[in-house]
Amino acid sequence: MASMNPSPVSGLPPCKRYIATHDSAGKSIYAPSPEQTYNRGNPSATLALARSFAVAAVPANLTDDADIKAYEADSGPASHKNPSIVSESDSGTGANLLVIDLKPGAVSAMHRTVSLDFSMCVIGEIDHELDGGEKVRLHPGDHIVQRGTM
């Protein structure tokens, strides 16, 4: 059973998320947003993910902050409470920004998504392996552009 928790597994402080939008006069402002919660899979997990933002389709519907309202909702493909690593929209055209926290030595299962994924190492080191056996070690600032690959 999935366990939702406001803190990552590593003991690091949660990332802060800021969502920019407009007020009624058209001035840019930061919108309030829900607390970032991590899906741990189970309470003793060595890996956790938090959906930092999501839209069910691209281009996103920004009219009347429809994208933010869908993200703040308690359920749905773009909901901040949705534990899935990929959007479950029928069209498969959504986008997700995930924060993934791994304890030292943690391993993620090899998987494929239909999305275009961007992964960036923020702190520590991450070994990234493709199903063809190639590996790279990511250091802070290094990133992967994963195009439907395993």
Side-chain angles (χ1 to χ4, degrees):
M1 178 174 193
S3 169
M4 298 303 277
N5 192 300
S7 62
V9 294
S10 65
L12 295 171
C15 296
K16 293 182 180 178
R17 169 203 329 96
Y18 300 93
I19 302 171
T21 189
H22 299 94
D23 66 12
S24 59
K27 179 181 173 186
S28 297
I29 60 168
Y30 294 109
S33 61
E35 182 177 23
Q36 188 122 301
T37 53
Y38 291 79
N39 176 0
R40 294 185 179 201
N42 66 62
S44 62
T46 59
L47 153 124
L49 68 89
R51 181 175 286 210
S52 195
F53 197 73
V55 294
V58 175
N61 179 4
L62 306 181
T63 305
D64 194 30
D65 288 338
D67 61 322
I68 295 173
K69 291 173 184 170
Y71 177 69
E72 292 174 339
D74 286 334
S75 63
S79 169
H80 70 285
K81 294 184 178 181
N82 186 333
S84 176
I85 196 167
V86 295
S87 174
E88 297 169 352
S89 68
D90 291 336
S91 63
T93 59
N96 296 295
L97 172 59
L98 303 172
V99 175
I100 300 175
D101 183 47
L102 298 132
K103 280 187 177 179
V107 176
S108 173
M110 180 127 353
H111 63 280
R112 179 188 321 267
T113 65
V114 296
S115 54
L116 178 62
D117 299 335
F118 304 92
S119 301
M120 178 178 283
C121 178
V122 176
I123 190 169
E125 296 178 346
I126 300 170
D127 291 328
H128 186 274
E129 182 177 0
L130 300 174
D131 64 341
E134 284 188 89
K135 296 179 187 179
V136 293
R137 176 162 288 172
L138 303 173
H139 300 274
D142 294 345
H143 49 279
I144 301 282
V145 179
Q146 195 146 336
R147 303 169 54 251
T149 55
M150 300 234 350

